[in-house]
Coordinates of all heavy atoms in Angstrom, one line a residue:
R97 N -52.6 -173.6 47.4 CA -53.9 -173.7 48.2 C -54.9 -173.0 47.4 O -55.5 -172.0 47.8 CB -53.7 -173.0 49.6 CG -54.8 -173.3 50.6 CD -54.6 -172.5 51.8 NE -55.7 -172.7 52.7 CZ -56.3 -171.8 53.5 NH1 -55.8 -170.5 53.5 NH2 -57.3 -172.0 54.3
Q98 N -55.2 -173.6 46.2 CA -55.9 -172.9 45.2 C -57.4 -172.6 45.6 O -58.0 -171.6 45.1 CB -55.9 -173.6 43.9 CG -54.5 -173.7 43.3 CD -54.4 -174.4 42.0 OE1 -55.1 -174.1 41.0 NE2 -53.5 -175.4 41.9
S99 N -58.0 -173.5 46.4 CA -59.4 -173.2 46.8 C -59.5 -171.9 47.5 O -60.6 -171.4 47.6 CB -59.9 -174.4 47.6 OG -59.2 -174.4 48.8
K100 N -58.5 -171.4 48.1 CA -58.5 -170.1 48.8 C -57.5 -169.1 48.2 O -57.0 -168.3 48.9 CB -58.2 -170.3 50.3 CG -59.1 -171.2 51.1 CD -60.5 -170.6 51.3 CE -61.5 -171.5 52.0 NZ -62.8 -170.9 52.0
L101 N -57.4 -169.3 46.9 CA -56.5 -168.4 46.2 C -55.1 -168.2 46.9 O -54.5 -167.2 46.9 CB -57.1 -167.0 46.0 CG -58.4 -167.0 45.2 CD1 -58.9 -165.5 45.0 CD2 -58.3 -167.7 43.9
A103 N -54.3 -168.3 49.9 CA -54.2 -167.5 51.1 C -53.3 -168.2 52.2 O -53.3 -169.4 52.3 CB -55.6 -167.2 51.7
L104 N -52.7 -167.3 53.0 CA -51.7 -167.8 53.9 C -52.3 -168.1 55.3 O -52.8 -167.2 56.0 CB -50.6 -166.7 54.2 CG -49.9 -166.2 52.9 CD1 -49.0 -165.0 53.3 CD2 -49.0 -167.3 52.3
K136 N -55.0 -167.9 39.0 CA -55.7 -166.7 39.5 C -54.8 -165.9 40.5 O -55.0 -164.6 40.6 CB -57.0 -167.1 40.2 CG -58.2 -167.2 39.2 CD -59.5 -167.4 40.0 CE -60.0 -166.1 40.5 NZ -61.4 -166.3 41.1
A140 N -53.5 -164.5 47.7 CA -54.6 -163.4 47.9 C -54.6 -162.9 49.3 O -55.6 -162.3 49.8 CB -55.9 -164.0 47.5
G141 N -53.5 -163.1 50.1 CA -53.5 -162.5 51.4 C -53.3 -163.5 52.5 O -53.3 -164.7 52.3
A142 N -53.2 -162.9 53.7 CA -53.4 -163.8 54.9 C -54.8 -164.3 55.0 O -55.7 -163.6 54.4 CB -53.0 -163.0 56.2
D143 N -55.0 -165.4 55.6 CA -56.4 -166.0 55.6 C -57.3 -165.2 56.5 O -57.1 -165.1 57.7 CB -56.2 -167.4 56.1 CG -57.5 -168.2 55.9 OD1 -58.6 -167.7 56.2 OD2 -57.5 -169.3 55.4
I144 N -58.3 -164.5 55.9 CA -59.2 -163.6 56.6 C -60.0 -164.4 57.6 O -60.3 -163.9 58.7 CB -60.0 -162.8 55.6 CG1 -59.1 -162.0 54.7 CG2 -61.0 -161.9 56.3 CD1 -59.8 -161.3 53.5
G145 N -60.3 -165.7 57.3 CA -61.0 -166.5 58.2 C -60.3 -166.6 59.6 O -60.9 -166.6 60.6
L147 N -57.8 -164.4 60.6 CA -57.6 -163.1 61.1 C -58.8 -162.6 61.9 O -58.8 -161.9 62.9 CB -57.3 -162.1 60.0 CG -56.0 -162.2 59.3 CD1 -55.8 -161.1 58.2 CD2 -54.8 -162.2 60.3
Y183 N -53.5 -162.4 41.6 CA -53.6 -161.5 42.8 C -52.4 -161.7 43.8 O -52.0 -162.8 44.1 CB -54.8 -161.9 43.6 CG -56.1 -161.6 42.9 CD1 -57.0 -162.6 42.4 CD2 -56.5 -160.2 42.6 CE1 -58.1 -162.3 41.8 CE2 -57.7 -159.9 42.0 CZ -58.5 -161.0 41.5 OH -59.6 -160.7 40.9
L185 N -52.1 -159.9 47.1 CA -52.9 -158.9 47.9 C -52.5 -159.1 49.4 O -52.2 -160.3 49.8 CB -54.4 -159.1 47.8 CG -54.9 -159.0 46.3 CD1 -56.4 -159.3 46.3 CD2 -54.6 -157.6 45.8
G186 N -52.5 -158.0 50.1 CA -52.2 -158.1 51.6 C -50.9 -158.9 51.8 O -49.9 -158.5 51.3
G187 N -51.0 -159.9 52.6 CA -49.8 -160.7 52.9 C -49.2 -161.3 51.7 O -47.9 -161.5 51.7
P209 N -55.0 -154.2 50.7 CA -56.4 -153.8 51.0 C -56.7 -153.9 52.5 O -57.9 -153.8 52.8 CB -57.2 -154.8 50.2 CG -56.4 -156.0 50.1 CD -55.0 -155.6 50.2
E210 N -55.7 -154.0 53.3 CA -56.0 -154.3 54.7 C -57.0 -153.3 55.4 O -57.8 -153.6 56.2 CB -54.7 -154.4 55.6 CG -54.0 -155.7 55.4 CD -53.0 -155.7 54.3 OE1 -53.1 -154.8 53.4 OE2 -52.2 -156.6 54.2
S212 N -59.4 -151.9 54.3 CA -60.8 -152.2 54.0 C -61.4 -153.2 54.9 O -62.6 -153.4 55.0 CB -61.0 -152.6 52.5 OG -60.5 -154.0 52.4
L213 N -60.5 -153.9 55.7 CA -60.9 -154.9 56.6 C -60.7 -154.3 58.1 O -60.9 -155.1 59.0 CB -60.0 -156.1 56.5 CG -60.0 -156.9 55.2 CD1 -58.9 -157.9 55.1 CD2 -61.4 -157.6 55.0
I215 N -57.8 -153.3 59.4 CA -56.5 -153.5 59.9 C -55.5 -152.8 59.0 O -55.9 -152.1 58.1 CB -56.2 -155.0 60.0 CG1 -56.4 -155.7 58.6 CG2 -57.0 -155.7 61.1 CD1 -55.9 -157.2 58.6
M243 N -56.0 -151.8 44.1 CA -55.0 -152.7 43.4 C -54.3 -151.9 42.3 O -54.9 -151.0 41.7 CB -55.7 -153.9 42.8 CG -56.3 -154.8 43.8 SD -57.0 -156.2 43.0 CE -58.4 -156.7 44.1
Ligands
COA430 N1 -58.4 -165.3 53.0 C1 -59.3 -166.3 53.0 N2 -59.9 -166.8 52.0 C2 -59.7 -166.1 50.8 C3 -58.9 -165.0 50.7 C4 -58.2 -164.6 51.9 N3 -57.3 -163.6 51.9 N4 -58.9 -164.6 49.4 C5 -59.7 -165.4 48.8 N5 -60.2 -166.3 49.6 C6 -61.2 -167.4 49.3 C7 -62.6 -166.9 49.1 O1 -63.2 -166.7 50.4 C8 -63.2 -168.0 48.3 O2 -63.4 -169.1 49.2 P1 -64.8 -169.9 49.1 O3 -64.9 -170.4 47.6 O4 -64.7 -171.0 50.1 O5 -65.9 -168.9 49.3 C9 -62.0 -168.4 47.4 O6 -60.9 -167.9 48.0 C10 -62.1 -167.7 46.0 O7 -62.2 -166.3 46.2 P2 -63.4 -165.4 45.6 O8 -63.5 -164.2 46.4 O9 -64.6 -166.2 45.3 O10 -62.7 -165.1 44.2 P3 -63.0 -163.8 43.3 O11 -62.3 -164.1 42.0 O12 -64.4 -163.4 43.3 O13 -62.2 -162.6 44.0 C11 -60.4 -161.5 45.2 C12 -60.8 -162.6 44.2 C13 -58.9 -161.7 45.4 C14 -60.7 -160.1 44.7 C15 -61.2 -161.8 46.5 O14 -61.1 -163.1 46.9 C16 -60.6 -161.0 47.7 O15 -60.9 -159.8 47.8 N6 -59.9 -161.6 48.6 C17 -59.4 -161.0 49.8 C18 -58.2 -160.1 49.5 C19 -57.7 -159.4 50.7 O16 -58.4 -158.6 51.3 N7 -56.5 -159.8 51.2 C20 -55.9 -159.2 52.3 C21 -56.1 -160.0 53.5 S1 -55.2 -159.3 54.9

Side-chain angles (χ1 to χ4, degrees):
R97 192 187 176 215
Q98 293 182 58
S99 64
K100 298 289 180 191
L101 302 184
L104 304 172
K136 277 189 77 174
D143 192 314
I144 298 169
L147 293 181
Y183 294 112
L185 302 177
E210 282 86 346
S212 73
L213 300 166
I215 53 174
M243 294 184 210

